[in-house]
Amino acid sequence: MKSHTLSTLALSLVSLFSLASGSASAPPASPRPSVTCPNGELVESDRCCVWYDVLSDLQDLFDNSCGEDAHDALRLSFHDAIGYSPWLETQGQFGGDGADGSMIKFASTELEYHSNQGLASIVYEEMRIADNRSVSYGDMIQFAAAVSVRNCPGGPRLSFFAGRPNATQAAPDGLVPEPFHDVDTILARVLDAGLMPTELVALLASHSIGVQEHVDPSIENTPFDTTPGVFDTAFYKEVLRPGMHYPGKGPRDGNRTRSGEVPAPDTKPPIFRLQSDYALSRDPRTEEEWKVYSEPSTQLLMTARFAAAMARMALIGQDPVNLVDCSGVVP
Ligand code: CA
Ligand code: CA
Protein backbone atom coordinates (compact mmCIF):
# COMPACT_ATOMS: atom_id res chain seq x y z
CA MET A 1 0.00 0.00 0.00
CA LYS A 2 2.72 2.40 1.01
CA SER A 3 4.96 1.53 -1.92
CA HIS A 4 2.09 2.01 -4.33
CA THR A 5 1.37 5.38 -2.80
CA LEU A 6 5.01 6.35 -2.97
CA SER A 7 5.49 5.38 -6.60
CA THR A 8 2.32 7.19 -7.59
CA LEU A 9 3.51 10.17 -5.63
CA ALA A 10 6.92 10.15 -7.27
CA LEU A 11 5.41 10.14 -10.76
CA SER A 12 2.98 12.89 -9.94
CA LEU A 13 5.63 14.99 -8.28
CA VAL A 14 7.72 15.06 -11.43
CA SER A 15 4.75 16.61 -13.17
CA LEU A 16 4.16 19.03 -10.34
CA PHE A 17 7.75 20.15 -10.39
CA SER A 18 7.50 20.87 -14.10
CA LEU A 19 4.38 22.89 -13.51
CA ALA A 20 5.68 24.94 -10.66
CA SER A 21 9.06 25.67 -12.20
CA GLY A 22 7.51 26.98 -15.37
CA SER A 23 8.76 24.17 -17.61
CA ALA A 24 7.28 23.93 -21.08
CA SER A 25 6.41 20.26 -20.57
CA ALA A 26 2.73 19.41 -20.46
CA PRO A 27 1.01 19.54 -17.07
CA PRO A 28 -0.63 16.36 -15.81
CA ALA A 29 -3.90 15.61 -17.51
CA SER A 30 -6.46 17.52 -15.50
CA PRO A 31 -9.84 18.73 -16.72
CA ARG A 32 -10.24 22.34 -17.75
CA PRO A 33 -12.41 24.50 -15.52
CA SER A 34 -15.90 23.24 -16.18
CA VAL A 35 -17.93 23.88 -13.05
CA THR A 36 -19.36 27.25 -12.04
CA CYS A 37 -19.39 27.90 -8.30
CA PRO A 38 -22.21 29.87 -6.62
CA ASN A 39 -19.91 32.92 -6.61
CA GLY A 40 -19.57 32.69 -10.42
CA GLU A 41 -15.98 31.42 -10.42
CA LEU A 42 -15.05 28.62 -12.83
CA VAL A 43 -13.28 25.64 -11.23
CA GLU A 44 -12.21 22.16 -12.26
CA SER A 45 -14.49 20.31 -9.85
CA ASP A 46 -17.46 21.13 -7.68
CA ARG A 47 -15.27 19.95 -4.81
CA CYS A 48 -13.32 23.20 -5.25
CA CYS A 49 -16.17 25.65 -4.60
CA VAL A 50 -16.10 25.32 -0.81
CA TRP A 51 -12.55 26.65 -0.83
CA TYR A 52 -13.79 30.13 -1.76
CA ASP A 53 -15.71 30.11 1.52
CA VAL A 54 -12.64 28.84 3.38
CA LEU A 55 -10.58 31.57 1.69
CA SER A 56 -12.96 34.20 3.03
CA ASP A 57 -12.74 32.77 6.56
CA LEU A 58 -8.95 32.62 6.38
CA GLN A 59 -8.62 36.19 5.17
CA ASP A 60 -10.73 37.27 8.14
CA LEU A 61 -8.30 35.38 10.37
CA PHE A 62 -5.21 36.74 8.62
CA ASP A 63 -6.72 40.22 8.35
CA ASN A 64 -5.68 40.00 4.67
CA SER A 65 -2.11 40.57 5.79
CA CYS A 66 1.30 38.96 6.17
CA GLY A 67 1.10 38.86 9.94
CA GLU A 68 1.65 36.41 12.77
CA ASP A 69 -1.21 34.05 11.88
CA ALA A 70 -0.03 33.88 8.27
CA HIS A 71 3.50 33.06 9.44
CA ASP A 72 2.18 30.35 11.74
CA ALA A 73 0.00 28.86 8.98
CA LEU A 74 3.05 28.39 6.77
CA ARG A 75 5.03 26.84 9.61
CA LEU A 76 2.15 24.49 10.39
CA SER A 77 2.10 23.18 6.80
CA PHE A 78 5.68 21.95 7.18
CA HIS A 79 5.16 20.46 10.62
CA ASP A 80 2.13 18.49 9.42
CA ALA A 81 3.69 17.25 6.17
CA ILE A 82 7.10 16.25 7.51
CA GLY A 83 5.45 13.77 9.88
CA TYR A 84 6.14 10.91 7.52
CA SER A 85 8.86 8.29 7.89
CA PRO A 86 9.18 5.23 5.65
CA TRP A 87 12.24 4.37 7.73
CA LEU A 88 10.15 4.03 10.89
CA GLU A 89 7.76 1.77 8.96
CA THR A 90 10.68 -0.54 8.12
CA GLN A 91 11.24 -0.77 11.88
CA GLY A 92 7.68 -1.98 12.33
CA GLN A 93 6.43 1.37 13.66
CA PHE A 94 3.82 3.76 12.33
CA GLY A 95 5.67 6.52 10.50
CA GLY A 96 2.87 9.04 10.05
CA ASP A 97 0.85 9.90 6.96
CA GLY A 98 2.51 13.20 6.13
CA ALA A 99 0.26 16.04 5.02
CA ASP A 100 -2.77 14.39 6.57
CA GLY A 101 -3.94 17.04 9.03
CA SER A 102 -2.73 15.03 12.01
CA MET A 103 -1.49 18.26 13.58
CA ILE A 104 -5.17 19.28 13.94
CA LYS A 105 -6.92 15.91 14.22
CA PHE A 106 -4.54 14.82 16.97
CA ALA A 107 -3.73 18.29 18.27
CA SER A 108 -3.75 17.21 21.90
CA THR A 109 -0.93 14.77 21.14
CA GLU A 110 1.19 16.57 18.55
CA LEU A 111 1.04 20.01 20.20
CA GLU A 112 2.81 18.40 23.16
CA TYR A 113 5.87 17.69 20.99
CA HIS A 114 8.74 20.11 21.65
CA SER A 115 9.07 20.99 17.96
CA ASN A 116 5.45 22.16 17.76
CA GLN A 117 5.61 24.85 20.43
CA GLY A 118 3.78 28.00 19.40
CA LEU A 119 1.41 26.33 16.94
CA ALA A 120 -1.62 25.86 19.21
CA SER A 121 -3.31 29.10 18.23
CA ILE A 122 -3.20 28.49 14.47
CA VAL A 123 -4.09 24.79 14.92
CA TYR A 124 -7.32 25.61 16.76
CA GLU A 125 -8.21 28.49 14.42
CA GLU A 126 -7.84 26.23 11.38
CA MET A 127 -9.75 23.46 13.16
CA ARG A 128 -12.65 25.86 13.71
CA ILE A 129 -12.76 26.92 10.06
CA ALA A 130 -12.37 23.37 8.72
CA ASP A 131 -15.15 22.04 10.97
CA ASN A 132 -17.42 24.92 10.01
CA ARG A 133 -16.87 24.30 6.28
CA SER A 134 -16.65 20.49 6.46
CA VAL A 135 -13.24 20.22 4.79
CA SER A 136 -10.45 17.87 5.82
CA TYR A 137 -7.74 19.07 8.16
CA GLY A 138 -4.97 17.98 5.79
CA ASP A 139 -6.45 20.09 2.99
CA MET A 140 -7.08 22.96 5.38
CA ILE A 141 -3.47 23.15 6.49
CA GLN A 142 -2.01 23.22 2.97
CA PHE A 143 -4.59 25.67 1.66
CA ALA A 144 -4.01 28.05 4.56
CA ALA A 145 -0.28 27.94 3.82
CA ALA A 146 -0.89 28.85 0.18
CA VAL A 147 -3.10 31.77 1.19
CA SER A 148 -0.64 32.95 3.82
CA VAL A 149 2.23 33.10 1.32
CA ARG A 150 0.11 35.17 -1.09
CA ASN A 151 -0.59 37.69 1.65
CA CYS A 152 3.12 38.51 1.80
CA PRO A 153 4.50 40.83 -0.89
CA GLY A 154 6.80 38.80 -3.16
CA GLY A 155 5.15 35.50 -2.23
CA PRO A 156 4.49 33.08 -5.11
CA ARG A 157 1.17 31.52 -5.98
CA LEU A 158 1.26 27.93 -4.74
CA SER A 159 -0.72 25.05 -6.18
CA PHE A 160 -3.46 23.50 -4.07
CA PHE A 161 -4.93 20.02 -4.39
CA ALA A 162 -7.94 19.01 -2.30
CA GLY A 163 -9.18 15.64 -1.15
CA ARG A 164 -6.82 14.41 1.56
CA PRO A 165 -8.56 12.01 3.93
CA ASN A 166 -8.36 12.87 7.60
CA ALA A 167 -5.51 11.44 9.64
CA THR A 168 -6.04 8.13 11.39
CA GLN A 169 -3.21 8.39 13.91
CA ALA A 170 -0.97 11.06 15.38
CA ALA A 171 2.43 11.35 13.74
CA PRO A 172 5.17 10.03 16.01
CA ASP A 173 7.30 12.50 17.93
CA GLY A 174 10.76 13.39 16.70
CA LEU A 175 10.07 13.81 12.97
CA VAL A 176 10.18 17.62 12.77
CA PRO A 177 13.73 18.98 12.39
CA GLU A 178 14.73 21.28 15.24
CA PRO A 179 17.05 24.30 15.10
CA PHE A 180 19.58 22.57 17.37
CA HIS A 181 19.88 19.52 15.10
CA ASP A 182 23.06 19.16 13.05
CA VAL A 183 23.00 19.09 9.25
CA ASP A 184 23.43 15.30 9.05
CA THR A 185 20.36 14.81 11.21
CA ILE A 186 18.27 17.37 9.34
CA LEU A 187 19.14 16.11 5.87
CA ALA A 188 18.59 12.47 6.86
CA ARG A 189 15.17 13.40 8.20
CA VAL A 190 13.97 15.32 5.14
CA LEU A 191 15.37 12.64 2.79
CA ASP A 192 13.42 10.02 4.74
CA ALA A 193 10.29 12.12 4.19
CA GLY A 194 11.06 12.29 0.46
CA LEU A 195 12.55 15.77 0.06
CA MET A 196 15.94 16.61 -1.42
CA PRO A 197 18.47 18.83 0.41
CA THR A 198 18.06 21.45 -2.32
CA GLU A 199 14.31 21.44 -1.72
CA LEU A 200 14.86 21.99 1.98
CA VAL A 201 16.96 25.07 1.19
CA ALA A 202 14.18 26.37 -1.05
CA LEU A 203 11.55 25.70 1.62
CA LEU A 204 13.57 27.80 4.04
CA ALA A 205 12.48 30.85 2.06
CA SER A 206 9.63 30.60 4.56
CA HIS A 207 12.04 32.07 7.10
CA SER A 208 12.04 35.21 4.98
CA ILE A 209 8.64 35.91 6.54
CA GLY A 210 9.21 34.03 9.79
CA VAL A 211 9.76 35.03 13.38
CA GLN A 212 11.01 33.10 16.40
CA GLU A 213 8.81 32.78 19.44
CA HIS A 214 10.04 29.99 21.70
CA VAL A 215 13.74 29.54 21.03
CA ASP A 216 14.30 32.66 23.16
CA PRO A 217 10.94 33.50 24.78
CA SER A 218 12.36 36.77 26.13
CA ILE A 219 12.28 38.27 22.61
CA GLU A 220 9.17 36.78 21.03
CA ASN A 221 8.46 37.69 17.42
CA THR A 222 12.07 38.48 16.52
CA PRO A 223 12.30 37.93 12.74
CA PHE A 224 14.81 35.78 10.86
CA ASP A 225 15.54 38.61 8.44
CA THR A 226 15.22 42.39 8.39
CA THR A 227 12.14 42.25 6.13
CA PRO A 228 9.70 39.84 7.82
CA GLY A 229 6.76 41.39 5.97
CA VAL A 230 8.24 40.64 2.55
CA PHE A 231 8.88 37.26 0.90
CA ASP A 232 12.35 38.08 -0.44
CA THR A 233 15.97 36.95 -0.64
CA ALA A 234 17.12 39.03 2.36
CA PHE A 235 16.95 35.99 4.65
CA TYR A 236 19.51 33.99 2.65
CA LYS A 237 21.87 36.96 2.35
CA GLU A 238 21.67 37.91 6.00
CA VAL A 239 22.37 34.37 7.23
CA LEU A 240 25.65 34.54 5.30
CA ARG A 241 26.80 37.64 7.20
CA PRO A 242 29.17 37.17 10.16
CA GLY A 243 27.40 36.74 13.48
CA MET A 244 28.14 39.36 16.14
CA HIS A 245 25.77 39.05 19.07
CA TYR A 246 22.59 37.58 20.49
CA PRO A 247 19.54 39.80 20.15
CA GLY A 248 18.08 38.48 23.43
CA LYS A 249 19.45 36.58 26.39
CA GLY A 250 21.45 34.14 24.28
CA PRO A 251 21.74 30.38 24.59
CA ARG A 252 23.64 30.41 27.89
CA ASP A 253 20.62 31.76 29.71
CA GLY A 254 19.38 29.24 32.26
CA ASN A 255 18.93 25.79 30.77
CA ARG A 256 18.82 26.91 27.16
CA THR A 257 22.13 25.34 26.21
CA ARG A 258 20.46 23.42 23.39
CA SER A 259 18.45 26.36 22.16
CA GLY A 260 19.53 26.21 18.53
CA GLU A 261 20.50 29.88 18.47
CA VAL A 262 23.79 31.27 17.12
CA PRO A 263 25.01 34.90 17.03
CA ALA A 264 23.33 37.19 14.51
CA PRO A 265 24.66 40.25 12.68
CA ASP A 266 23.94 43.66 14.13
CA THR A 267 20.93 44.86 12.15
CA LYS A 268 17.95 47.14 12.39
CA PRO A 269 15.51 45.66 13.19
CA PRO A 270 17.40 43.02 15.20
CA ILE A 271 17.24 39.55 13.70
CA PHE A 272 17.45 36.07 15.19
CA ARG A 273 19.67 33.41 13.72
CA LEU A 274 18.89 29.72 14.01
CA GLN A 275 21.83 27.33 14.34
CA SER A 276 20.26 25.11 11.66
CA ASP A 277 20.03 27.96 9.13
CA TYR A 278 23.63 28.93 9.85
CA ALA A 279 24.87 25.35 9.46
CA LEU A 280 22.90 24.68 6.25
CA SER A 281 24.21 27.88 4.68
CA ARG A 282 27.79 26.67 5.21
CA ASP A 283 27.50 22.93 4.56
CA PRO A 284 29.00 21.58 1.30
CA ARG A 285 25.73 19.79 0.52
CA THR A 286 23.57 22.91 0.69
CA GLU A 287 25.72 26.05 0.59
CA GLU A 288 25.73 26.33 -3.19
CA GLU A 289 21.94 26.41 -3.34
CA TRP A 290 21.86 28.82 -0.42
CA LYS A 291 24.18 31.31 -2.14
CA VAL A 292 22.10 31.21 -5.32
CA TYR A 293 19.18 32.69 -3.38
CA SER A 294 21.20 35.33 -1.55
CA GLU A 295 20.90 38.03 -4.21
CA PRO A 296 17.77 40.06 -5.00
CA SER A 297 18.23 39.20 -8.69
CA THR A 298 17.30 35.59 -7.93
CA GLN A 299 13.90 36.45 -6.44
CA LEU A 300 11.96 34.79 -9.27
CA LEU A 301 14.13 31.67 -9.22
CA MET A 302 13.83 31.44 -5.44
CA THR A 303 10.05 31.79 -5.45
CA ALA A 304 9.67 29.27 -8.30
CA ARG A 305 11.76 26.69 -6.47
CA PHE A 306 9.98 27.41 -3.21
CA ALA A 307 6.64 26.85 -4.96
CA ALA A 308 7.90 23.61 -6.50
CA ALA A 309 9.18 22.33 -3.17
CA MET A 310 5.94 23.32 -1.43
CA ALA A 311 3.96 21.41 -4.08
CA ARG A 312 5.99 18.29 -3.28
CA MET A 313 5.79 18.84 0.47
CA ALA A 314 2.01 19.32 0.40
CA LEU A 315 1.59 15.81 -1.02
CA ILE A 316 3.92 13.90 1.31
CA GLY A 317 2.21 10.66 2.32
CA GLN A 318 -0.82 11.38 0.14
CA ASP A 319 -2.03 9.68 -3.03
CA PRO A 320 -2.47 12.40 -5.69
CA VAL A 321 -4.87 10.18 -7.64
CA ASN A 322 -7.52 10.94 -5.03
CA LEU A 323 -7.03 14.71 -5.19
CA VAL A 324 -8.55 17.41 -7.40
CA ASP A 325 -6.67 20.49 -8.58
CA CYS A 326 -8.21 23.55 -6.89
CA SER A 327 -5.20 25.80 -7.49
CA GLY A 328 -7.47 28.32 -9.15
CA VAL A 329 -8.92 29.24 -5.75
CA VAL A 330 -5.53 30.40 -4.40
CA PRO A 331 -5.52 34.21 -4.65
CA1 CA B 1 0.86 14.98 9.68
CA1 CA C 1 11.94 38.90 4.27
Side-chain angles (χ1 to χ4, degrees):
M1 181 66 184
K2 282 278 181 204
S3 62
H4 166 74
T5 304
L6 273 174
S7 59
T8 311
L9 180 62
L11 280 172
S12 174
L13 293 180
V14 170
S15 306
L16 274 174
F17 184 83
S18 304
L19 256 183
S21 60
S23 157
S25 61
S30 59
R32 291 176 181 280
S34 57
V35 176
T36 305
C37 296
N39 65 355
E41 296 283 356
L42 273 177
V43 291
E44 294 191 0
S45 162
D46 55 8
R47 291 160 65 192
C48 297
C49 292
V50 67
W51 293 98
Y52 284 105
D53 299 324
V54 177
L55 173 62
S56 173
D57 296 343
L58 277 172
Q59 291 296 37
D60 287 345
L61 173 66
F62 295 155
D63 205 15
N64 289 285
S65 71
C66 181
E68 186 179 344
D69 285 325
H71 297 167
D72 289 346
L74 185 54
R75 182 175 170 227
L76 176 59
S77 69
F78 180 69
H79 286 232
D80 191 41
I82 204 69
Y84 180 74
S85 174
W87 181 81
L88 272 183
E89 301 265 342
T90 68
Q91 306 302 302
Q93 299 175 49
F94 177 63
D97 281 328
D100 61 351
S102 62
M103 278 288 308
I104 296 179
K105 176 87 175 179
F106 297 98
S108 58
T109 300
E110 294 195 29
L111 285 173
E112 291 298 311
Y113 301 164
H114 180 268
S115 56
N116 294 333
Q117 284 184 89
L119 287 171
S121 171
I122 191 68
V123 159
Y124 288 110
E125 290 289 358
E126 290 190 15
M127 178 190 287
R128 175 182 59 80
I129 296 172
D131 288 346
N132 188 36
R133 299 297 183 183
S134 299
V135 295
S136 81
Y137 296 143
D139 289 348
M140 179 75 218
I141 288 174
Q142 298 307 323
F143 183 69
V147 174
S148 73
V149 168
R150 285 300 271 176
N151 280 355
C152 299
R157 191 160 183 241
L158 304 183
S159 59
F160 170 63
F161 288 73
R164 296 166 187 77
N166 262 332
T168 55
Q169 290 186 58
D173 195 5
L175 297 185
V176 182
E178 298 252 35
F180 52 80
H181 286 159
D182 61 27
V183 174
D184 285 351
T185 303
I186 293 170
L187 294 186
R189 181 70 278 282
V190 298
L191 281 166
D192 179 29
L195 295 172
M196 301 299 294
T198 50
E199 291 175 313
L200 173 66
V201 176
L203 288 173
L204 285 169
S206 56
H207 286 184
S208 171
I209 53 168
V211 299
Q212 80 83 29
E213 294 174 35
H214 295 274
V215 183
D216 183 347
S218 72
I219 47 166
E220 260 188 21
N221 296 318
T222 308
F224 298 123
D225 76 7
T226 53
T227 57
V230 184
F231 197 97
D232 58 8
T233 58
F235 162 72
Y236 294 100
K237 188 181 188 75
E238 290 168 7
V239 169
L240 291 173
R241 291 178 54 185
M244 313 286 288
H245 73 132
Y246 295 106
K249 293 184 173 177
R252 298 296 168 202
D253 176 54
N255 294 321
R256 297 177 51 245
T257 50
R258 282 209 319 158
S259 74
E261 182 186 9
V262 295
D266 192 11
T267 57
K268 283 196 171 80
I271 60 175
F272 194 94
R273 180 176 286 173
L274 295 176
Q275 176 189 312
S276 49
D277 288 338
Y278 176 86
L280 285 163
S281 74
R282 287 152 172 88
D283 187 276
R285 291 162 288 185
T286 44
E287 67 180 345
E288 189 177 338
E289 195 82 358
W290 195 285
K291 285 174 182 162
V292 165
Y293 303 144
S294 65
E295 295 300 329
S297 61
T298 59
Q299 170 82 16
L300 286 179
L301 179 67
M302 178 200 72
T303 53
R305 289 193 182 162
F306 171 77
M310 283 293 288
R312 295 238 301 134
M313 188 199 83
L315 294 178
I316 289 176
Q318 300 297 305
D319 188 345
V321 168
N322 300 328
L323 308 182
V324 291
D325 187 352
C326 298
S327 301
V329 186
V330 178

